[in-house]
Amino acid sequence: DIQMTQSPSLLSASVGDRVTITCRASQSISNRLAWYQQRPGKAPKLLIYKASSLEGGVPSRFSGSGSGTEFSLTISSLQPDDLATYYCQEYSTGILKTFGQGTKVEIK
Amino acid sequence: EVQPVESGGDLVPPGGSLRLSCAASGFTFSREWMTWVRQAPGMGLEWVANINPDGSDIYYLDSVKGRFTISRDNAKNSLFLQMDSLRIEDTAVYYCARDSRGGVFDFWGQGTLVTVAS
């Protein structure tokens, strides 16, 4: 099974900061990676798919990059509304879908 | 608006059974893969099972194989998860989601809480 490892687990930053979350796969998944945002007490929301494609309606301050085993999610200018936990998810095998353990983003 | 709505969560004893439902609207349900994802209290997301549009292709997380059954009724735009032999570790919020683009979960319900406890 593919393992997904996110870092850091907790990130504290100020409004306006550029923040980057990393996700590493235990084997190559090409670009079959999605990113989700989960605000406190809410359902997850799709942000990015195919590693770098922005889902419709998602603010352009969110971007994704990477391929193979190394991926990143960047928020170009952190906003108060971005307080959430972010998850990566691989979908390379067509069967099992594995999530990373999550990165909690706090606002200083 | 695409909006899955889950129901059926409850408190059940270990070894018990529960059936979750998900009513879908805002898209052509019969053409889409659907999935169940769960989240234990204070923990991350865990994919549980998914099903293809006509119900002929189904996959499960290893830990629920033989205990959980995913199914659908396309005439009623509904997805189901029959959960038998429930364990304490099955306690979680269960979300249904549309499974599109080969495994991307683009629309999620609000979740329904399943608590397995004596």
Side-chain angles (χ1 to χ4, degrees):
Chain A
D1 295 352
I2 298 172
Q3 308 300 318
M4 305 299 292
T5 304
Q6 287 182 234
S7 61
S9 296
L10 175 64
L11 189 158
S12 183
S14 300
V15 171
D17 283 354
R18 180 182 182 89
V19 303
T20 297
I21 299 167
T22 297
C23 179
R24 179 176 290 119
S26 59
Q27 65 189 68
S28 177
I29 58 170
S30 184
N31 65 348
R32 308 286 277 180
L33 184 100
W35 289 96
Y36 301 87
Q37 175 194 63
Q38 187 177 32
R39 294 189 174 109
K42 300 295 186 183
K45 172 188 173 183
L46 175 66
L47 298 177
I48 302 279
Y49 63 97
K50 216 161 57 174
S52 60
S53 295
L54 193 69
E55 179 70 350
V58 174
S60 58
R61 64 180 180 273
F62 291 93
S63 64
S65 65
S67 66
T69 61
E70 298 281 337
F71 302 87
S72 62
L73 173 71
T74 297
I75 307 173
S76 61
S77 177
L78 190 68
Q79 300 302 304
D81 200 36
D82 301 335
L83 168 71
T85 300
Y86 293 84
Y87 295 92
C88 63
Q89 176 236 328
E90 67 82 21
Y91 53 102
S92 65
T93 66
I95 301 175
L96 188 65
K97 318 281 195 280
T98 307
F99 290 91
Q101 80 278 15
T103 296
K104 186 175 183 179
V105 173
E106 295 182 341
I107 310 295
K108 281 182 184 175
Chain B
E1 180 187 7
V2 178
Q3 182 62 61
V5 178
E6 304 93 338
S7 61
D10 205 347
L11 169 64
V12 293
S17 296
L18 203 58
R19 189 189 197 212
L20 305 183
S21 299
C22 172
S25 61
F27 64 101
T28 306
F29 180 77
S30 60
R31 294 182 183 174
E32 304 285 353
W33 282 76
M34 295 295 294
T35 202
W36 288 97
V37 174
R38 68 184 179 184
Q39 186 170 36
M43 302 296 285
L45 301 170
E46 182 176 53
W47 170 83
V48 173
N50 65 353
I51 185 169
N52 73 334
D54 69 6
S56 61
D57 208 6
I58 288 173
Y59 301 99
Y60 295 101
L61 180 69
D62 280 350
S63 63
V64 308
K65 277 181 188 173
R67 301 188 299 120
F68 289 13
T69 304
I70 188 172
S71 63
R72 64 193 296 161
D73 183 339
N74 287 341
K76 296 183 178 179
N77 289 347
S78 294
L79 177 72
F80 307 101
L81 187 67
Q82 176 66 41
M83 302 187 294
D84 299 318
S85 303
L86 280 161
R87 304 169 180 169
I88 291 174
E89 56 265 34
D90 294 320
T91 294
V93 173
Y94 284 73
Y95 296 99
C96 95
R98 189 172 78 170
D99 186 338
S100 74
R101 290 164 268 185
V104 177
F105 310 140
D106 59 355
F107 291 100
W108 298 64
Q110 82 290 349
T112 188
L113 176 62
V114 173
T115 303
V116 184
S118 52

